[in-house]
Amino acid sequence: MSTSTNPATSTPPGIHVDAVTRWFVEHVDRAVAPLQFSLIAGGRSNYTYLVDDADGHRYVLRRPPLGHLLPSAHDVAREHRIISALRSTSVPVAPALGFCDDPSVNDQPFYVMAYVDGLVLRNADDAHLLSDTAKVRASESVADVLADLHALDVDAVGLGELGKREGYLERQLKRWYGQFQQSSTYAIPAVHDVHDALLRRLPEQHGVSIVHGDYRLDNTMINSTGDVIAVLDWELCTLGDPLADVGLLLVYWPEPDDPNPPLGAAASSAPGFLGRQALRTRYAQRTGRNLRDLDAYVAFGYWKLACILDGVYARYRAGAMGDDGYDWRLLEQQVPLLAKSAADALEGSS
């Protein structure tokens, strides 16, 4: 699904080859056995596999991660439903080809989508894959596609029952703060302070839209000219306040002169991409939305990620995630830095 695949010489974890192959041949058009599976991405999110069949067709399979699963998270049935609904819209997604909820096939549900040939820009080292002109276009396209997603009529596309419509930030604060309180193993006062401050001064919800929940450059697939050709990883998608997506996009969009971005050197930290202010302006012009409250949504984005990654840290520390090679102790510095960034953003919004 991207140039960053890392084919394995043996079957990767999470796939029962014989049973999954039988299901493929019966349910996926043109699939021809035998199949070869390669892990593209795994760990704390849903696992993604590249699937090659005997006739040279390529597919992508998504299943929940191995080990500990959070309640309501990693819902691949929900992902499949969302990309199926969005296929006929202006929002680019990989075409959904099939869904399996029979645990006898592969223990956990999974779905299959078409392979999309493009680039996933995961960090600054990947930025060289685009020309300077394409970097500008990629910046514009990321903002444009998000605006298109937020412009969809949730009922017309068949996703009107995806979640509650109102009170999005309140629900999100309750959800992630509850998880933080259950999992946190060390004191991070800023998480509590930002939660309380956000609760006191929540901005009025800016309409109801489909909210991706984790929209960022490396959750999109880009072609060589910089256009977004597929939006990926819909596992946190629901209905709610569109500006939550915009705030989180800016959290994930460091600029070249940012001294210490809390999430590391994403591709946008390489020279050539548009800056955060240009993204805000592009989105505002395309949607007509007033972004005067956006700093509060940026603060919420930092805070939400602090809570999520603190939960990841707690699960690694307890041994619930196994040994997947990830240096999880880096989270000891990253989580407090995210919480501080949330407090700084919230101060700027006052």
Side-chain angles (χ1 to χ4, degrees):
M1 194 168 183
S2 79
T3 57
S4 59
T5 57
N6 184 22
T9 56
S10 59
T11 302
I15 296 292
H16 298 328
V17 173
D18 292 343
V20 173
T21 297
R22 285 193 297 270
W23 182 92
F24 249 87
V25 172
E26 292 174 6
H27 295 90
V28 178
D29 244 8
R30 302 193 308 156
V32 179
L35 306 180
Q36 181 177 354
F37 300 86
S38 305
L39 184 63
I40 298 174
R44 294 151 298 284
S45 184
N46 284 333
Y47 274 37
T48 306
Y49 304 83
L50 177 66
V51 185
D52 291 283
D53 81 353
D55 274 2
H57 305 133
R58 306 193 102 176
Y59 310 92
V60 173
L61 183 151
R62 290 266 287 175
R63 61 148 291 161
L66 306 177
H68 182 87
L69 301 182
L70 288 176
S72 78
H74 316 301
D75 188 345
V76 293
R78 186 183 182 89
E79 280 193 53
H80 178 262
R81 174 189 173 193
I82 291 165
I83 65 170
S84 297
L86 295 178
R87 178 58 182 159
S88 60
T89 74
S90 59
V91 178
V93 292
L97 302 179
F99 172 72
C100 176
D101 61 357
D102 181 354
S104 70
V105 177
N106 203 48
D107 297 331
Q108 294 284 345
F110 65 88
Y111 73 91
V112 177
M113 55 187 166
Y115 172 82
V116 178
D117 191 8
L119 306 170
V120 177
L121 306 178
R122 301 193 184 281
N123 51 55
D125 291 338
D126 293 334
H128 75 279
L129 298 171
L130 295 181
S131 68
D132 286 345
T133 300
K135 290 174 189 174
V136 172
R137 178 57 197 147
S139 308
E140 296 171 341
S141 187
V142 165
D144 292 349
V145 168
L146 187 60
D148 288 348
L149 175 66
H150 293 163
L152 294 177
D153 183 319
V154 298
D155 295 307
V157 299
L159 294 175
E161 304 302 319
L162 190 64
K164 295 180 180 178
R165 303 188 181 210
E166 303 299 335
Y168 176 79
L169 285 184
E170 294 98 320
R171 297 196 311 275
Q172 288 282 297
L173 284 168
K174 181 178 180 180
R175 173 185 179 180
W176 298 115
Y177 192 51
Q179 176 181 303
F180 175 81
Q181 290 176 306
Q182 290 177 2
S183 66
S184 186
T185 57
Y186 61 109
I188 312 176
V191 171
H192 303 286
D193 294 342
V194 172
H195 167 268
D196 294 346
L198 282 171
L199 207 54
R200 287 193 302 268
R201 44 196 272 218
L202 283 174
E204 183 178 347
Q205 183 162 316
H206 291 251
V208 176
S209 75
I210 299 168
V211 177
H212 182 278
D214 198 22
Y215 190 79
R216 60 185 196 260
L217 179 59
D218 61 321
N219 269 344
T220 67
M221 186 161 288
I222 308 289
N223 66 14
S224 60
T225 61
D227 291 292
V228 174
I229 55 175
V231 180
L232 311 174
D233 293 358
W234 293 88
E235 60 190 275
L236 294 179
C237 180
T238 189
L239 302 184
D241 192 328
L243 293 196
D245 271 343
V246 184
L248 190 61
L249 174 61
L250 299 186
V251 166
Y252 279 120
W253 198 275
E255 297 177 347
D257 58 352
D258 286 351
N260 188 25
L263 293 169
S268 62
S269 63
F273 290 93
L274 297 181
R276 289 187 290 268
Q277 184 58 49
L279 289 186
R280 292 175 64 143
T281 300
R282 180 94 179 183
Y283 178 88
Q285 290 174 341
R286 194 166 177 111
T287 63
R289 287 196 171 94
N290 188 320
L291 303 187
R292 65 178 179 272
D293 297 324
L294 191 57
D295 285 347
Y297 292 90
V298 172
F300 169 72
Y302 280 120
W303 178 87
K304 169 184 167 181
L305 289 176
C307 293
I308 291 173
L309 293 183
D310 183 72
V312 172
Y313 172 79
R315 294 194 295 279
Y316 270 108
R317 184 172 177 176
M321 301 292 286
D323 183 9
D324 59 2
Y326 174 63
D327 187 4
W328 54 271
R329 294 192 180 278
L330 294 174
L331 296 172
E332 293 179 355
Q333 292 79 44
Q334 192 175 38
V335 172
L337 187 57
L338 284 165
K340 181 181 184 304
S341 297
D344 292 344
L346 194 59
E347 183 177 346
S349 73
S350 58

